[in-house]
């Protein structure tokens, strides 16, 4: 969803910028007979100048750049698996931000605490017998909200695990490999293994 939003907003900025440029250029031509030379630019009385057009287009370009550079929500929240806030859940995660600016997703002061929380989530699944890539993903990212099968296949490709292979996420290496792949799926960023492992070791 983040990628689609960026494309839509970015595309809208492009159309807006081109439209403004065309409009101002047309206005300049309509009033060219009234043009006055002033400060090195073509003044159009009360109408936009060439400098105004350039400034407008530059502003649109800067706005587009800011949109495209905006980091995914999970990265901004230091929550690489996009763990949601649960209604009625009063869990206070270690390293959780006190500001709670995002009411839908958990926020952490450092990414290691996001991976710690994710590790504890997977280990709680294991206690319930949810211990394969298939069952973990379908629990964590249910099909009514996600393309869970695509998610499963992605994680299997990234880790080399079979989707029905029984996993022991108490094993730090297994947990880290699984979490690294899931984080890449969630936020589009491949975290260095040492960052993932730092959080796993805290769990």
């Amino acid at each position: 969803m983040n990628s689609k939003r960026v494309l839509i907003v970015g595309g809208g900025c492009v159309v807006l910028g081109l439209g403004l440029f065309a409009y101002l250029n047309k206005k300049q031509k309509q009033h060219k007979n009234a043009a006055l030379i002033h400060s090195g630019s073509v003044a159009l009385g009360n109408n936009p100048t060439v400098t105004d057009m350039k400034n407008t287009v530059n502003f649109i370009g800067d706005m587009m750049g800011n949109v495209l550079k905006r980091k995914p929500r999970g990265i901004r929240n230091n929550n690489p698996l996009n763990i949601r806030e649960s209604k009625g859940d009063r869990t206070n995660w270690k390293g959780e931000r006190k500001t709670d600016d995002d009411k839908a997703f958990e926020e952490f002061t450092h990414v290691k605490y996001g991976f710690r929380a994710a590790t504890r989530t997977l280990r709680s699944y294991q206690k319930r017998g949810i211990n394969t890539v298939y069952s973990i993903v379908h629990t964590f990212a249910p099909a009514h909200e996600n393309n869970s099968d695509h998610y499963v296949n992605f994680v299997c490709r990234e880790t080399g695990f079979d989707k029905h292979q029984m996993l022991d996420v108490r094993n730090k290496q297994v947990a880290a490999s699984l979490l690294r792949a899931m984080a890449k799926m969630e936020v589009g960023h491949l975290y260095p293994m040492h960052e993932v492992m730092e959080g796993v070791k805290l769990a």
Side-chain angles (χ1 to χ4, degrees):
M1 287 182 66
N2 289 330
S3 300
K4 291 179 182 177
R5 190 177 299 116
V6 166
L7 288 173
I8 291 169
V9 175
C13 289
V14 171
V15 173
L16 178 60
L18 292 174
L20 282 171
F21 185 87
Y23 170 76
L24 293 172
N25 190 46
K26 181 179 179 181
K27 295 294 289 185
Q28 182 195 23
K29 289 179 180 178
Q30 288 175 344
H31 296 86
K32 63 181 178 180
N33 292 331
L36 300 172
I37 304 301
H38 177 67
S39 301
S41 63
V42 181
L44 304 177
N46 292 328
N47 297 290
T49 66
V50 172
T51 302
D52 291 331
M53 286 194 295
K54 290 180 179 178
N55 289 340
T56 300
V57 173
N58 287 338
F59 172 77
I60 295 297
D62 290 341
M63 185 166 64
M64 285 174 56
N66 290 335
V67 169
L68 294 174
K69 289 177 183 177
R70 189 168 174 78
K71 293 179 180 179
R73 191 178 199 171
I75 293 179
R76 299 197 309 271
N77 288 345
N78 287 318
N79 181 1
L81 265 72
N82 284 321
I83 298 173
R84 287 185 174 274
E85 292 265 16
S86 299
K87 188 175 181 179
D89 183 8
R90 298 181 179 275
T91 301
N92 290 315
W93 294 104
K94 184 175 183 179
E96 190 172 343
R97 285 182 192 160
K98 297 186 183 301
T99 52
D100 195 25
D101 299 316
D102 191 328
K103 302 303 180 185
F105 293 88
E106 299 286 1
E107 303 161 90
F108 299 95
T109 57
H110 192 281
V111 70
K112 65 184 178 183
Y113 295 118
F115 279 119
R116 174 188 178 274
T119 305
R120 293 181 70 84
T121 298
L122 294 191
R123 288 177 178 170
S124 72
Y125 287 177
Q126 182 162 319
K127 292 177 181 178
R128 294 157 51 193
I130 301 168
N131 58 359
T132 65
V133 172
Y134 184 88
S135 61
I136 288 169
V137 168
H138 275 264
T139 302
F140 186 79
H144 68 275
E145 296 178 351
N146 305 270
N147 185 343
S148 303
D149 288 335
H150 169 70
Y151 197 144
V152 168
N153 292 334
F154 177 86
V155 171
C156 288
R157 284 197 305 271
E158 291 289 315
T159 61
F161 298 143
D162 181 81
K163 63 181 178 181
H164 295 303
Q165 176 184 346
M166 294 182 64
L167 304 174
D168 183 1
V169 293
R170 293 172 300 180
N171 180 299
K172 294 182 176 63
Q173 191 62 48
V174 171
S177 296
L178 185 56
L179 290 172
R180 190 178 190 225
M182 291 177 71
K184 185 177 179 181
M185 180 67 190
E186 289 285 339
V187 301
H189 176 64
L190 184 61
Y191 287 88
M193 182 58 82
H194 70 86
E195 286 190 6
V196 185
M197 187 60 78
E198 187 176 8
V200 171
K201 289 178 178 179
L202 290 172

